Amino acid sequence: MGNEIGNAAESPQTVRPRRLRATAAIRDMVRETRLAPDQFIYPLFVTEDRDRRNEVRSMPGVYQFSIDRLGQEAREISALGIPAVILFGIPARKDPAGSESYNENGVIQRAVREIKNMVPELVVITDVCLCEYTDHGHCGILNLPGSPDANPNLPEGYLLNDPTLSLLARIATSHARAGADMVAPSGMIDGMVAAIRRALDAEGYQMVPVMSYAVKYASAFYGPFRDAAEGAPKFGDRRTHQMDPANAREAIREADLDVKEGADFLMVKPALSYLDIVQRLRSAFPELPLAAYNVSGEYSMLKAAAANGWIDERQAALEVLTSIRRAGADLIITYHAKAAAQWLSGDI
Ligand code: PBG
């Protein structure tokens, strides 16, 4: 037709994206999203038993560790190039106000001291919430008739916001005193970041950052975690404080409030059904580090499919982690951190 030369640049036959996919070396060169162990944070579940390493039934490959077994695990994590862990405690004793959560010799306080003592370079982040410490399994003080904080204008059993804030502040400062490098409030209680920031500063912990679970949805994907952390609510659910999965604009409002309250990090949780939220936060708050929590249910689904031979675990897990980074997360909290670090280094 006479346009072979003149319109060569526009001819569909000359535009061949496959050229840059032809070899592994070229694909590596043009890869837009990189995955590396220093982007991972590994969750650890800690119990008050001795010499225990219990596999969590619904999370193959994930264990509850007794404090005396944490040093060895922390050394392994650090040797893999993973910079940080986030700790969840399973206390021996629970009560309505979750008082073990701020015990100076509580499970997390001792676990933090143990890890910082054994592997000082590992960044220790603590989850700050009450659900594992209350006998009812809710994330704070409930509105119960006859209790000192009872409010007749609110429904019975409602999670009371402001009385819970003072407990969260107490927990965070006790974690800082134990040596935590960073605290991560996860309850979606209004004002939690401000309350914790104020309390930390008042005790001289101006340098302890707050990683806020700023945008946390009321998700079915936390199921296996509640097995692992033994913190399932005995009745009801968390929909009066965690976000409605249907909402996206509200995520910006939540994150904005936390930034104004002094959050140093933002987090979106869960990750996979909420990659659009990760992307929105990335562009709305370009200056803040952003983490995404690849939660227990996301891990367990993949493990279950792999155990049945329905999916290749390594490829699927690396694809999932890459997608979370591609959406805009700087850091990923993931139960796959150790395995992924090994896969990425070519060890297994
Ligand atoms: C609350 C908390 C939860 C998770 C992390 N922190 C459970 C919940 O909100 O019910 C879930 C993490 C996961 O599913 O992996 N302390």
Side-chain angles (χ1 to χ4, degrees):
M1 298 293 269
N3 66 350
E4 290 95 313
I5 296 169
N7 284 346
E10 284 108 57
S11 155
Q13 284 74 32
T14 62
V15 180
R16 294 182 191 276
R18 290 185 59 191
R19 282 189 201 111
L20 298 184
R21 297 180 202 139
T23 68
I26 295 176
R27 288 194 295 274
D28 283 350
M29 285 174 70
V30 299
R31 184 158 300 124
E32 297 174 32
T33 306
R34 310 252 166 204
L35 208 52
D38 64 3
Q39 298 153 352
F40 303 150
I41 299 171
Y42 191 57
L44 284 177
F45 299 100
V46 191
T47 70
E48 302 207 59
D49 309 319
R50 281 169 171 273
D51 198 23
R52 284 285 277 277
R53 182 175 172 273
N54 294 340
E55 191 164 29
V56 177
R57 194 183 46 85
S58 54
M59 301 178 74
V62 171
Y63 300 84
Q64 298 175 334
F65 290 94
S66 56
I67 294 164
D68 54 329
R69 291 278 199 103
L70 277 177
Q72 171 61 27
E73 180 66 9
R75 259 191 296 274
E76 276 179 35
I77 293 163
S78 184
L80 287 166
I82 298 165
V85 290
I86 182 162
L87 302 186
F88 297 96
I90 302 145
R93 218 170 42 77
K94 304 192 186 211
D95 61 34
S99 58
E100 271 298 296
S101 59
Y102 48 83
N103 177 349
E104 296 301 324
N105 277 313
V107 59
I108 287 298
Q109 291 77 0
R110 284 193 290 145
V112 171
R113 289 196 288 267
E114 176 75 7
I115 297 176
K116 291 312 291 182
N117 192 25
M118 304 292 268
V119 191
E121 66 276 17
L122 190 64
V123 174
V124 175
I125 307 168
T126 55
D127 184 81
V128 176
C129 192
L130 280 144
C131 58
E132 293 123 53
Y133 300 88
T134 51
D135 52 10
H136 44 69
H138 284 283
C139 303
I141 300 294
L142 297 182
N143 192 32
L144 298 173
S147 74
D149 297 306
N151 180 342
N153 304 314
L154 292 169
E156 188 173 332
Y158 185 80
L159 178 61
L160 293 169
N161 202 86
D162 299 11
T164 300
L165 289 178
S166 46
L167 285 182
L168 295 178
R170 249 174 117 166
I171 301 172
T173 49
S174 82
H175 291 176
R177 269 196 295 281
D181 294 297
M182 210 180 286
V183 294
S186 66
M188 293 294 282
I189 309 299
D190 292 339
M192 66 184 183
V193 174
I196 288 172
R197 184 73 271 155
R198 202 174 315 120
L200 287 172
D201 289 359
E203 292 207 21
Y205 297 109
Q206 293 90 344
M207 298 305 285
V208 173
V210 178
M211 174 189 273
S212 179
Y213 286 69
V215 181
K216 176 173 176 181
Y217 287 89
S219 171
F221 291 99
Y222 307 149
F225 173 95
R226 292 176 186 174
D227 242 9
E230 301 175 15
K234 294 280 184 307
F235 53 87
D237 54 42
R238 310 210 199 285
R239 288 173 213 254
T240 69
H241 47 112
Q242 298 180 349
M243 272 182 61
D244 182 341
N247 291 0
R249 294 191 305 263
E250 190 189 354
I252 305 296
R253 186 164 187 243
E254 275 288 356
D256 194 42
L257 275 171
D258 283 13
V259 172
K260 291 194 174 109
E261 291 178 27
D264 300 282
F265 269 87
L266 294 175
M267 193 200 299
V268 174
K269 174 183 175 189
L272 279 191
S273 290
Y274 302 89
L275 291 179
D276 57 327
I277 309 299
V278 173
Q279 191 175 27
R280 277 181 196 238
L281 254 65
R282 171 80 293 159
S283 51
F285 304 94
E287 69 283 7
L288 258 85
L290 178 62
Y293 200 139
N294 178 212
V295 300
S296 58
E298 299 172 337
Y299 173 84
S300 299
M301 282 195 303
L302 220 145
K303 289 301 262 193
N308 278 293
W310 297 337
I311 206 168
D312 179 301
E313 183 185 356
R314 173 191 166 130
Q315 279 192 48
L318 291 175
E319 186 175 328
V320 160
L321 296 170
T322 302
S323 74
I324 298 169
R325 290 266 306 143
R326 194 190 61 230
D330 300 300
L331 294 158
I332 308 171
I333 303 175
T334 177
Y335 303 98
H336 265 119
K338 285 179 76 183
Q342 286 171 290
W343 293 327
L344 290 168
S345 70
D347 279 1
I348 53 170

